[in-house]
Amino acid sequence: MNFEKILEENQQWIEEHLRLDPNYFDDLAKGQSPDILYIGCSDSRVTAEEMMGARPGEVFVHRNIANVIANSDLNVMSVVNYAVQYLKVQHIVVCGHYYCGGVKAAMESTDMGIINLWLRNIQDVYRLHKDELNAIADEETRYKRLVELNVQEQCVNLLKTIDVQQAFRERGLIIHGWVFDVKTGRLIDLKIDFAKILKGLSDIYTYEL
Ligand code: CO
């Protein structure tokens, strides 16, 4: 990759925006009020804004390996808190993707050093759904299903947080579980039944508000 070229591209990008709207960057500098929090994988093929056709200012983004929303991860929990309580987003998208290297490594129990700790979150998802997953004979189908179930369980982790529970009750915050198919470019809505999941979450997770 040519880094000088990147800076030239940036200059062109600035000029293109200013040609269409001379106040473009002045307006951006005034602040942000995105409607969506997007949590996805760091994978270089899964570009959050580009695949959604979103413009700067529209989406608050957090990405990590295999879009994990770990309960004890201060980083993702701070992002969720800030987006929900301060930016008041109305939608949270959790987006996994087929052919996710993180999910693959978790499935194969590959020793990845320090990443083992992170991937264990996905191995927990496998354990929770092992009857369904082990019943799938075809390895690729099983791999794809684990990607989907990982999205579902990370959405459940969101529902465990007081911020999300509060916003869910007070303003009907909407959570979307999606998978991006790298092979076709398609975004697939998993149509997860969150009302059912919330009902099934034991009282242990539910905060008195
Ligand atoms: Co990935």
Side-chain angles (χ1 to χ4, degrees):
M1 186 163 288
N2 181 341
F3 277 78
E4 275 178 25
K5 181 106 171 57
I6 291 175
L7 297 178
E8 282 168 25
E9 295 258 1
N10 171 250
Q11 196 53 44
Q12 278 177 23
W13 178 79
I14 293 168
E15 285 162 18
E16 273 166 32
H17 278 88
L18 290 179
R19 202 165 31 239
L20 292 168
D21 176 6
N23 298 318
Y24 185 78
F25 294 103
D26 287 331
D27 288 342
L28 275 188
K30 284 176 189 159
Q32 62 167 340
S33 127
D35 199 28
I36 303 170
L37 163 62
Y38 169 98
I39 301 171
C41 185
S42 297
D43 190 302
S44 60
R45 300 164 297 177
V46 189
T47 55
E49 293 94 337
E50 197 183 313
M51 70 181 180
M52 290 194 286
R55 289 168 303 173
E58 290 182 338
V59 187
F60 198 66
V61 174
H62 178 82
R63 293 169 70 179
N64 63 37
I65 293 173
N67 42 272
V68 169
I69 302 168
N71 299 299
S72 57
D73 176 18
L74 189 59
N75 189 349
V76 72
M77 286 300 147
S78 301
V79 167
V80 170
N81 177 265
Y82 185 70
V84 173
Q85 295 287 0
Y86 296 89
L87 295 173
K88 305 270 183 211
V89 296
Q90 189 59 20
H91 300 266
I92 304 180
V93 168
V94 179
C95 187
H97 68 103
Y98 295 140
Y99 313 103
C100 180
V103 171
K104 183 90 178 161
M107 228 175 128
E108 292 174 343
S109 305
T110 317
D111 180 7
M112 303 282 287
I114 196 165
I115 306 170
N116 292 347
L117 277 73
W118 191 253
L119 298 182
R120 217 165 284 151
N121 290 297
I122 302 161
Q123 290 167 335
D124 288 341
V125 174
Y126 198 110
R127 178 172 52 81
L128 282 170
H129 297 275
K130 72 174 187 312
D131 291 343
E132 180 188 341
L133 289 163
N134 286 344
I136 303 170
D138 180 62
E139 198 178 321
E140 186 166 330
T141 310
R142 193 163 68 242
Y143 174 25
K144 284 182 155 180
R145 185 62 186 141
L146 181 56
V147 165
E148 296 170 0
L149 289 169
N150 182 44
V151 168
Q152 181 179 311
E153 289 303 328
Q154 303 315 325
C155 290
V156 170
N157 283 340
L158 276 179
L159 289 168
K160 290 174 192 166
T161 69
I162 193 162
D163 295 321
V164 169
Q165 287 181 18
Q166 209 164 24
F168 196 79
R169 282 179 222 175
E170 287 174 4
R171 60 174 197 269
L173 172 89
I174 301 164
I175 299 175
H176 309 261
W178 290 353
V179 165
F180 177 70
D181 187 349
V182 178
K183 226 172 191 170
T184 61
R186 210 156 60 90
L187 274 174
I188 301 155
D189 183 352
L190 297 175
K191 296 193 167 63
I192 298 166
D193 188 346
F194 292 109
K196 193 175 151 199
I197 288 174
L198 261 180
K199 216 184 270 176
L201 277 184
S202 116
D203 291 344
I204 299 168
Y205 295 113
T206 313
Y207 294 93
E208 296 204 7
L209 300 168

